[in-house]
Amino acid sequence: MSAPELQERTFLNLVKRRIAQKLGKGGATMAPTGKALGAGLIGAGNIARWAYVPRLQRKFPFHLAAVFDVNQAGAKEVAASTGAKACGSVEELVRDPAVEVVFICTPAAFHCDAALAALAAGKHVLCEKPMAATLAEAQRMLAAAEKSGKAHMVHFSYRFRPEFQFLAQLIQTGVIGRVYHVTGTFSQGKWFNENSEPSSERPDATPWKLGVDGGVAEDLGPHLVDLCRSCFGELTEVNAWKKSYRPGPFVSDDACGLSLSFANGAAAHVITSRLATGFKEHTSLEFSGSQGAIRFEHGEISLWTRSEPRWRTLLIPQNLGRDFLDSFHTAITNRDAKVPDFTDGLKNSEALEAIVRSAKAGATVKLPLT
Ligand SMILES: NC(=O)c1ccc[n+]([C@@H]2O[C@H](COP(=O)([O-])OP(=O)(O)OC[C@H]3O[C@@H](n4cnc5c(N)ncnc54)[C@H](O)[C@@H]3O)[C@@H](O)[C@H]2O)c1
């Protein structure tokens, strides 16, 4: 092994040790054990088909017992390919004794009712992001989840990607010291053009993305807020603008500018957009701190520190990435396991609400809101 490779490995081992110390009990990666649980899927569209159904076909740690979609043809198609039962309503699905956990994959406007029904029926709930369409709904969902004693999680999918997990953990370990600020873009350019025509890459762009509740702040915003919370903790202030570049009749925001302040003193100045021309995904972030800096560019992470003042690209430990369904199963069987739960979902929804209020009023909004 060459000297630079050895140095790199020694450095990474140090970071890994610090990450392990920081995470402590329950935070470590755990493989799920025990029996496969019966799952009920509500909403059989895009995310259900590319993120859930292929995993459920593995049969462990969940097997698909039942599926419901208002589009009955979609539900029947998924049922036929998996051997699950196609249900005629949410109520039928949550009452089915074969269903022990419920996955909610509808647009956000339907998350709350589905979650309340599932929790009332005594089922564990994994809900897609954003947790709810409004802060009030998120509050009702958290209250119901806590009352039920069942496991709950929101699928902030970026948290499960090794590069984002490594980024957050690097910052938490203090490798760049006290973080001053992060600047950059957290965007996508793959969905549609400014005439609302779906791109050739994603002809499946769903209509709700063009509706009033489907703007980029509601769609990509939850991931960005969750990443920021993972890095810096709770927000204290939001200043936002939104812009729509497409003509009606369905106008939703295409770009959103955010200035965020955090309780730990860090600030973020980031654009999130769905019109990142030339890119499918465009995440480019620069973190500056008292002891160093981190550049995150399309999944690649570079570090500069005062003790080692040169930019070097870090190897991203792939074993940091956890499967989100495995993680949820672990959270059901071990309540100390850390997953983004409804408390995180509520904090996320509060930040989204602050973004909406700030953009509407053209003013800074302080958090917490209540
Ligand atoms: N975590 C991620 O990275 C990620 C990625 C994509 C989408 N999502 C989220 O997943 C959710 C769904 O997004 P999508 O892209 O799959 O949308 P989609 O439109 O492709 O699928 C939604 C499905 O829900 C069904 N549906 C609508 N209302 C319903 C109701 N009341 N009851 C039952 N079924 C209903 C629709 O018929 C459709 O089949 C959204 O909240 C979205 O933000 C998350």
Side-chain angles (χ1 to χ4, degrees), residues 202-216:
R202 293 304 298 253
D204 55 343
T206 49
W208 64 264
K209 282 188 193 281
L210 302 175
V212 282
D213 295 329
V216 73

Side-chain angles (χ1 to χ4, degrees), residues 129-130 156 158 186-188 214-229 235 242 253 256 258 260 270-274 347-349 351-352 355:
K129 66 81 199 162
F156 293 117
Y158 283 58
F186 190 87
S187 300
Q188 294 180 340
V216 73
E218 291 78 13
D219 194 11
L220 280 182
H223 293 306
L224 174 59
V225 167
D226 191 59
L227 175 65
C228 286
R229 287 189 64 245
L235 286 95
K242 293 182 182 189
D253 54 301
C256 175
L258 292 169
L260 310 173
V270 182
I271 280 193
T272 182
S273 166
R274 284 197 306 216
K347 285 283 175 196
N348 197 287
S349 292
L352 298 180
I355 290 169

Side-chain angles (χ1 to χ4, degrees), residues 8 47 63 112 133 172 231 234 248 293 327 356:
E8 189 71 33
I47 186 80
H63 65 90
C112 181
Q172 287 166 21
C231 292
E234 298 311 335
S327 299
V356 170

Side-chain angles (χ1 to χ4, degrees), residues 156-223:
F156 293 117
S157 53
Y158 283 58
R159 271 212 207 185
F160 297 89
R161 287 164 60 168
E163 67 275 26
F164 285 99
Q165 221 175 97
F166 191 44
L167 173 67
Q169 291 178 356
L170 272 176
I171 288 168
Q172 287 166 21
T173 58
V175 73
I176 62 166
R178 177 184 158 212
V179 181
Y180 298 139
H181 44 72
V182 53
T183 55
T185 179
F186 190 87
S187 300
Q188 294 180 340
K190 63 188 176 188
W191 293 103
F192 26 65
N193 65 21
E194 61 183 28
N195 296 320
S196 301
E197 294 156 351
S199 76
S200 53
E201 284 175 61
R202 293 304 298 253
D204 55 343
T206 49
W208 64 264
K209 282 188 193 281
L210 302 175
V212 282
D213 295 329
V216 73
E218 291 78 13
D219 194 11
L220 280 182
H223 293 306

Side-chain angles (χ1 to χ4, degrees), residues 40-42 65-69 72 75 84-99 102 117-118 121 123:
L41 178 67
I42 302 179
V67 54
F68 168 68
D69 193 298
Q72 282 283 286
K85 171 181 156 195
C87 295
S89 67
V90 167
E91 289 65 35
E92 182 189 345
L93 181 139
V94 300
R95 268 194 266 111
D96 190 325
V99 171
V102 172
K123 315 291 159 127

Side-chain angles (χ1 to χ4, degrees), residues 262-334:
F262 297 86
N264 74 346
H269 196 63
V270 182
I271 280 193
T272 182
S273 166
R274 284 197 306 216
L275 294 176
T277 309
F279 295 97
K280 271 189 189 173
E281 291 207 5
H282 183 35
T283 305
S284 174
L285 300 167
E286 290 182 11
F287 298 78
S288 305
S290 56
Q291 301 304 319
I294 292 173
R295 262 199 325 243
F296 183 96
E297 187 79 27
H298 299 141
E300 199 172 273
I301 298 180
S302 315
L303 176 71
W304 186 102
T305 57
R306 292 204 188 284
S307 58
E308 181 95 43
R310 66 183 174 90
W311 282 104
R312 60 207 158 130
T313 304
L314 301 183
L315 299 171
I316 295 169
Q318 290 303 306
N319 63 359
L320 274 183
R322 289 180 302 156
D323 183 275
F324 75 99
L325 287 188
D326 287 356
S327 299
F328 186 51
H329 188 279
T330 303
I332 292 168
T333 52
N334 169 12

